[in-house]
Every structure is written in structure tokens, then in C-alpha cells.
Amino acid sequence: MAGSPQDSNRPQNTRAIMTFLREHAPFSNMDDAHLAHFAEHATLRFYADGDPVITPEEGVVKRFYVVKQGRICGERPSEKEDRTETTFEISVGECFPLAALIGERPTRTLHRAAGDTFCLSIEQDAFVTLFSDSEPFRDFCLRGVSSLLDQVNQRLQSKAMASMGSSNTLDTPLENYALRNPIVCSPDLPVSKAVARMHDNNVGSIIITDDNRHPTGIFTLRDLRTMVAEGKSPLDTPIGQVMTRNPSSLTSDADAFEAAMLMAEHHFAHLCVVDEEEHLIGVVSERDLFSLQRVDLVHLARTIGTATHLRTLVSLRSDVSRLVDSMLAHGADSGQVVKIITTLNDVTVRRVLELNLKRNDPGIPFTWLTFGSEGRQEQTLLTDQDNGILFQTPEGMTADQVREKLLPFARTVNEELAECGFTLCKGNIMASNPKLCLSGDEWDEWFIRFIDASTPQNLVYSSIFLDMRAVYGDTEPLRLLLDKVLTRIRKNALFQKMLAGNALQRKPPLTMFRHFRYVSDGDHRRALDLKRQGLAPFVESVRVFALAHGVETANTLERMSALVKKGIFDAKDGNAWREAYSLIQAIRMRAHQEMLKEGEELSNYIDPDDLNPLDRRILRESFRQAQRLQQKLEVTYQF
């Protein structure tokens, strides 16, 4: 980054230090005056390989350090043997020891130079001045990796904003969008008069309320078109007879993301906004949420959900990538974006099923199941199929006879989903596989064997089938099944330990000294696999804790929050793990967007050398958080 005009008036050494600092967070976001303050008070200190820099015995920490060259290792006594172990590594541009300085206490870790190392150092007084005067520096000191994650998310958003142009974000409360004093009527008002009232006020909906202003129904212009086209009811019909009953609503403190997801899931365009007593206070429409002249979530979901031909669904898949850019521009974080992608995938799957049922209904009610990342609502643009079928065997039929009817139907659905971009599963984890098209009793027996016989293959299956969700059909059979499965797992300590051992096989890609450990996979010889090496250690470790403690949701971030509420995770640890997981997911999604723009085949591999220093640094910290989570798993299950 270029220096400011004032740099030329400063001593050369000060300018050189400021130039160095500008390359690293949090200094890259600080004012020049504050950088100059640091540089003018800084001392360059040299430490030979193995020299201690700070020790617990020195007492209260009095200096703040930034590594300029080399690295610093943190050492603590090992719990297993009479020796020390390296607990972390501090690289060029990173700071230490923040917690001890802010807490005005000795450091608990011995900081030692690894190789010839130079550090910039300032005294406590200069540190306190920076802490007081510089908001970016103070924010970093207090929140550490959280503040860095904010910077990454802000950069992702601003990059998308540059091409999208919007001031509202998906975190905006609905009270900022909602139309105050919405147009209302009583249920006995004739449709003709209700429509006239809508016309006079230039709105697309009218809310039907009771005497206490509780919304009991909604009538929209779309309802009017349907009513006229079908000719079933005259215009003098009381609106209460043709309204959509029990309209969906959210409170005014809910945000735009919740509203958008609700609209997309159920294909409606208006939402009631109510207060804590369920009194109507406003209405928000999809136009209010998305004023962009581009594709938006609700419109795209409705277009997919009403498509009449498979070729339409195939063509719409290209719009999802543009939507991801749009959502980032609206302030959606990585957790929200993967839920958006999963919601659109769900809508696509349901529409493929509906189109096939119209052409060739097998005549057997079924529940279409999805597993793995889609089951966790964590899908990105790179996805394959993991699905199955749960059915109840009709009286007079055997399960095999039901399968005879359902399997050809499932095979067609799998093939058409592949045309829509959901690649066929190489492991045949698909509904067209007879082993995954089962009755409720057969699924129950399958899980009993699965849990009782913890074979290596069953443990691999655990990463797929224990994250299960219904996408189409009656959800009650799945709820009953999962209740029994989760109860068995909570009571089976041995199975939990086997799951934990399997989860610990997925190690984060860091060496002992916090260097990246690259995969050796064909052409990807200097790369990181963000899914297998980065996300999987979080997903699989959190799954074990969630299953052991009766957390029913399958989503990883929601599981972490639930485990914090149950007291299983410390709140600070839970927050750090959520943020680290989200950061890896954000970098993965951004890489997918870049691959699409370059016309490359999507993959989960990245070369960390292609990242900027901030992204490399926070990616390394995120992997370290995965190591900490796995250490908790090791301690809990006594490995």
C-alpha cells in the first residue's frame, strides 16, 4: 500500500516501519498518525534461535511485540511427560502477547525464537496510547480473530457491492422495510371493495384482521387473478371466504434474511410484521427486500418451484451463482449463503419430484431424504447427490413390492437431478439404490446394526447418514425414526467413542510449527482441500458432541450454538469455532465464484500462496481453532 504524502517528512526508519505495518492486520486499517506513533516508539530487537523472548517468570508483561522476521513459538509444560510442548506459532506481521498485556499480568506461555528472529517492540505506555486512540487497534486487541473475520467479510461484501450497488443488507431489521399502517379489512368485506381499496392505495395485498388487529388472512393481486381465471367465486364474495388463511408473520426485530428465507421456502411474496402480542404493525413484500434489477432469492425460488419443464430447471442453475454475488452484496455471511444455496437446491429437488409424479406417479406415498451437506443445509455450488427414500409399507404389500414401484421412479429422478447440476454420487448414496429405499422399520433395523456394529465402513457412513433431513413428503415418519436413533446413540458410550476416534482422523492442515500441510492428490501437490482438511474437522467433531447431548438440528453452526446453550462448549470457545468455520466456508465460496468466472471446473482446492496475507493468517488461525476443538474431543473421550 502506498504511503501518505506526510511520509516523506518522516525519518526514513519511521517510514520503513510504517510501510511494513501497512501490509498486516490490524495495522492495515489504522490511521497514519497511529502507525507513526508506533514506529516512532518502536525498537527493533534480535533473538537468536532458541532465545526466550518473554517468560512467565518475568512478571507482568511490559512490552508489545510484532514479528518482523522469523517466528516465535509458544511453549507450555506437557501434561503427558516431563517436557514442554509447542502450543502455537507466531509468524511475520503477527502480534503478542495481547491477553497478558490487556490483563496486566504475566504471560502463561514461554515465547521462544525459532530461528533468527527480529521483533518490533513498544513499551506499555505507547501501547496504551494506541489502544486508547485507535479504534481498529483496540477492536483487534479485544476481539482478535473475530475482528479479522469482520475485515474478511467486509471485503467480500464490498467486492460484491462494487458490481451490485445496494445500501440495504440482510441483517437489516424488518422495521426498516415494513410498510407502516398496512391496508386492512374485515373478513365480511366483498372482494370488489377490497380490491378497490388496494387500487386506491397502490398496494399489492390487503390484510384481513380480527377485532384485535390480529392478522387472520391475506389477499393479493395474484389471488385475484386466480379467482377471475377459475371463475369459481363472484366479486361480491366476502373476502374471508377466498383469502389465504393464517398468513406467515415475523416480529419487527427479525431481519431481512429470515424474511427472505421464509418467502423462498413457501413461494409467497408478502409477509406480515407483528409486535410481541401478534398485533399487525406492517407488511413487507419481496420487492421491499430486493429492489435490484437482477435475480433475487424469492423470485428465483418461485421460478424454480413453478417450472413446467426439466430444461427450465437446468437453465436456472446458472442464476444461482449470480444470486450468491447478490447475497454477499446484501451482507449475507457464509452461513446464510450456504443456507440460501441449500434452500434453492431443496426447491429444485422438490420440483423435479413433482414433475415426475405428474408424469408417472408410482402410487406409493414416500418421504425423500437427503444426507450429508444438504442434510446439514451447508451446500455450496459444488455438490453431488446424497439421497434416499423412506416409505410406509401399505397393507397387503411387502417392502420388496413397494421397492419395485419406487426404484424406477427414483432412478429417473436421480438422472434428472444430475442434468440440473447435482452430480451422481460415486458411492451410490442415492434413492435409486435398493439399500437406501427402505420402509420405516427397515431404516430402524439398519440403524440398529449401524450403531451396534461400529465397523470402519459404518463409521464412514456416520458422516453421511447421521445428518439426515426430509426434503419432500410426510416428515413425521422421519421424526419418529430419528427420535429412536438419537436415543440409542445417547445411551451408547462405545459408539460415541468410536465416532470420536473417526472424527479425529480428519486433521487440520497445520504442522507442529503452524506451517500448512499440503495434500498430495494428483495435480494438487501444493494445495489445501478446504472441505476435507478445513471444514470436516469441525463438522465431524461437532457432530459427536451434538449426538451425545441430544442436539437434534444437523446444521453445524446451529449445533455449536445449541452446545453453548447446554453448557457443553464454553461461550468464548463456541464463538471462536463458529467464526473459524465460517471463515473457511467464506474463502471456499469465494474460490468457487472465482473458478466460475474463469470457466474452471469447481473444486475445493486452493493454493494458500494465492491468498493475501490477511486471508492466509486468518486461515491458519481457523485451522488452529479446529485443532483446539479436536483437543477437546480427545480429552472428553480420553484418547
Side-chain angles (χ1 to χ4, degrees):
M1 182 184 295
S4 66
Q6 291 90 341
D7 282 359
S8 60
N9 299 323
R10 295 186 172 112
Q12 184 175 355
N13 187 51
T14 298
R15 295 201 305 272
I17 292 175
M18 292 175 66
T19 299
F20 167 76
L21 292 174
R22 286 191 187 103
E23 296 176 354
H24 305 282
F27 308 105
S28 53
N29 283 345
M30 290 168 57
D31 294 341
D32 281 350
H34 298 140
L35 293 183
H37 176 85
F38 183 104
E40 290 162 2
H41 290 80
T43 303
L44 186 63
R45 295 173 174 246
F46 170 75
Y47 301 92
D49 183 31
D51 283 354
V53 180
I54 311 175
T55 68
E57 292 74 27
E58 292 175 8
V60 176
V61 173
K62 298 294 185 183
R63 300 187 70 84
F64 171 74
Y65 299 82
V66 180
V67 179
K68 191 171 189 300
Q69 180 180 317
R71 65 180 190 272
I72 301 292
C73 291
E75 297 179 358
R76 286 192 180 183
S78 172
E79 297 179 359
K80 297 181 180 179
E81 300 177 26
D82 186 20
R83 59 182 177 85
T84 60
E85 61 181 0
T86 299
T87 57
F88 58 80
E89 179 188 291
I90 301 169
S91 304
V92 173
E94 296 187 45
C95 319
F96 67 98
L98 284 170
L101 257 175
I102 294 170
E104 297 183 345
R105 60 169 174 79
T107 178
R108 299 191 178 103
T109 306
L110 187 152
H111 292 66
R112 189 187 301 279
D116 289 349
T117 300
F118 289 88
C119 293
L120 291 167
S121 160
I122 60 174
E123 299 285 350
Q124 186 181 36
D125 288 348
F127 172 82
V128 170
T129 299
L130 274 183
F131 186 88
S132 301
D133 295 348
S134 172
E135 184 176 347
F137 185 71
R138 181 171 59 255
D139 186 46
F140 171 74
C141 291
L142 294 174
R143 300 198 300 130
V145 69
S146 301
S147 68
L148 296 182
L149 181 61
D150 285 348
Q151 292 179 41
V152 172
N153 284 335
Q154 287 165 11
R155 192 171 66 252
L156 283 171
Q157 183 179 344
S158 62
K159 185 177 180 182
M161 281 283 198
S163 60
M164 303 300 297
S166 174
S167 59
N168 288 326
T169 75
L170 284 178
D171 291 326
T172 303
L174 287 184
E175 62 184 358
N176 289 27
Y177 288 100
L179 170 68
R180 293 289 172 172
N181 300 315
I183 306 306
V184 300
C185 69
S186 60
D188 56 356
L189 188 73
V191 170
S192 58
K193 291 187 177 181
V195 173
R197 191 175 297 180
M198 292 163 63
H199 176 74
D200 290 343
N201 289 275
N202 193 30
V203 295
S205 66
I206 189 168
I207 309 300
I208 296 85
T209 60
D210 61 18
D211 294 339
N212 294 316
R213 204 172 169 79
H214 295 147
T216 59
I218 185 171
F219 187 83
T220 68
L221 292 178
R222 186 185 305 162
D223 296 326
L224 176 64
R225 288 196 301 270
T226 301
M227 183 177 162
V228 172
E230 294 180 352
K232 293 181 179 178
S233 303
L235 291 179
D236 59 357
T237 302
I239 199 166
Q241 295 181 19
V242 293
M243 68 184 184
T244 300
R245 298 182 182 277
N246 302 317
S248 293
S249 62
L250 289 172
T251 56
S252 60
D253 58 353
D255 58 35
F257 177 73
E258 293 178 74
M261 292 296 287
L262 199 58
M263 289 180 179
E265 185 74 18
H266 299 287
H267 303 166
F268 49 68
H270 297 82
L271 190 69
C272 295
V273 181
V274 297
D275 61 20
E276 294 180 355
E277 281 76 40
E278 300 289 326
H279 298 135
L280 181 71
I281 59 175
V283 174
V284 64
S285 71
E286 64 173 303
R287 287 186 180 180
D288 298 326
L289 291 179
F290 300 104
S291 59
L292 301 175
Q293 300 302 309
R294 309 241 184 152
V295 65
D296 70 62
L297 171 62
V298 182
H299 175 72
L300 181 55
R302 185 181 299 115
T303 305
I304 293 172
T306 57
T308 55
H309 297 92
L310 178 66
R311 61 177 178 272
T312 305
L313 293 174
V314 174
S315 66
L316 287 170
R317 296 304 295 171
S318 61
D319 287 340
V320 178
S321 174
R322 291 204 300 275
L323 178 66
V324 171
D325 274 336
S326 174
M327 294 299 98
L328 289 171
H330 279 83
D333 60 33
S334 61
Q336 291 174 329
V337 172
V338 293
K339 274 200 169 185
I340 287 167
I341 294 172
T342 304
T343 295
L344 293 174
N345 288 348
D346 287 354
V347 175
T348 303
V349 170
R350 282 195 287 270
R351 194 55 184 160
V352 170
L353 286 164
E354 289 164 355
L355 291 175
N356 275 281
L357 285 170
K358 284 183 180 179
R359 291 197 307 265
N360 185 25
D361 189 340
I364 305 289
F366 63 87
T367 303
W368 188 271
L369 307 175
T370 186
F371 316 114
S373 60
E374 188 174 1
R376 294 190 301 272
Q377 295 181 290
E378 294 170 357
Q379 286 198 309
T380 62
L381 298 174
L382 176 61
T383 184
D384 61 1
Q385 295 187 50
D386 288 322
N387 46 50
I389 286 178
L390 184 159
F391 61 83
Q392 301 301 315
T393 308
E395 190 173 347
M397 293 183 71
T398 66
D400 285 336
Q401 289 172 331
V402 174
R403 262 186 291 279
E404 272 186 48
K405 291 181 173 291
L406 287 177
L407 287 174
F409 172 86
R411 191 170 300 110
T412 301
V413 171
N414 286 148
E415 291 170 354
E416 293 189 355
L417 287 175
E419 291 185 53
C420 292
F422 304 89
T423 57
L424 296 173
C425 177
K426 294 178 181 177
N428 201 22
I429 309 297
M430 294 185 292
S432 54
N433 181 346
K435 295 180 179 179
L436 298 176
C437 179
L438 304 174
S439 69
D441 290 338
E442 288 174 327
W443 274 113
D444 193 34
E445 293 170 5
W446 189 87
F447 272 109
I448 290 174
R449 295 194 301 272
F450 175 90
I451 294 168
D452 289 347
S454 301
T455 64
Q457 184 60 58
N458 282 354
L459 292 171
V460 170
Y461 283 157
S462 71
S463 65
I464 302 172
F465 296 110
L466 291 177
D467 298 337
M468 181 188 294
R469 190 167 57 89
V471 174
Y472 180 87
D474 187 1
T475 60
E476 183 63 12
L478 178 61
R479 188 192 67 79
L480 295 173
L481 172 66
L482 287 179
D483 280 349
K484 290 184 280 188
V485 171
L486 294 176
T487 298
R488 290 190 193 107
I489 293 175
R490 284 198 299 273
K491 294 179 179 179
N492 193 325
L494 177 60
F495 181 69
Q496 291 175 31
K497 184 162 185 173
M498 296 289 282
L499 277 182
N502 189 62
L504 292 171
Q505 300 301 310
R506 294 287 182 93
K507 296 295 183 185
L510 287 181
T511 66
M512 180 181 295
F513 298 109
R514 289 183 71 192
H515 296 308
F516 290 124
R517 189 177 69 249
Y518 301 102
V519 295
S520 53
D521 186 3
D523 296 332
H524 306 285
R525 297 196 178 278
R526 186 174 173 78
L528 304 174
D529 185 331
L530 291 182
K531 182 177 182 181
R532 288 187 297 170
Q533 294 180 290
L535 297 173
F538 286 101
V539 170
E540 300 196 1
S541 297
V542 169
R543 181 191 297 115
V544 179
F545 286 112
L547 293 173
H549 295 282
V551 175
E552 295 182 0
T553 182
N555 181 266
T556 302
L557 292 174
E558 292 174 2
R559 278 173 167 171
M560 290 184 192
S561 296
L563 289 165
V564 169
K565 288 182 180 178
K566 286 177 173 281
I568 309 304
F569 286 173
D570 174 81
K572 290 182 179 178
D573 285 342
N575 190 50
W577 293 333
R578 281 175 56 90
E579 289 174 336
Y581 176 84
S582 297
L583 182 276
I584 298 170
Q585 191 72 278
I587 291 179
R588 181 188 180 210
M589 285 191 299
R590 188 177 62 198
H592 285 171
Q593 292 298 97
E594 293 297 327
M595 292 172 194
L596 284 174
K597 289 174 184 174
E598 297 297 324
E600 299 173 1
E601 184 177 350
L602 291 181
S603 81
N604 292 308
Y605 296 102
I606 66 160
D607 183 345
D609 290 344
D610 293 338
L611 302 176
N612 62 47
L614 173 60
D615 283 353
R616 280 199 301 274
R617 176 178 172 186
I618 198 168
L619 191 59
R620 188 181 293 113
E621 173 62 23
S622 297
F623 293 152
R624 191 177 75 83
Q625 291 296 335
Q627 289 178 330
R628 290 186 59 247
L629 175 57
Q630 288 192 335
Q631 287 167 2
K632 179 175 178 64
L633 195 64
E634 288 177 340
V635 170
T636 301
Y637 287 95
Q638 300 179 346
F639 284 99

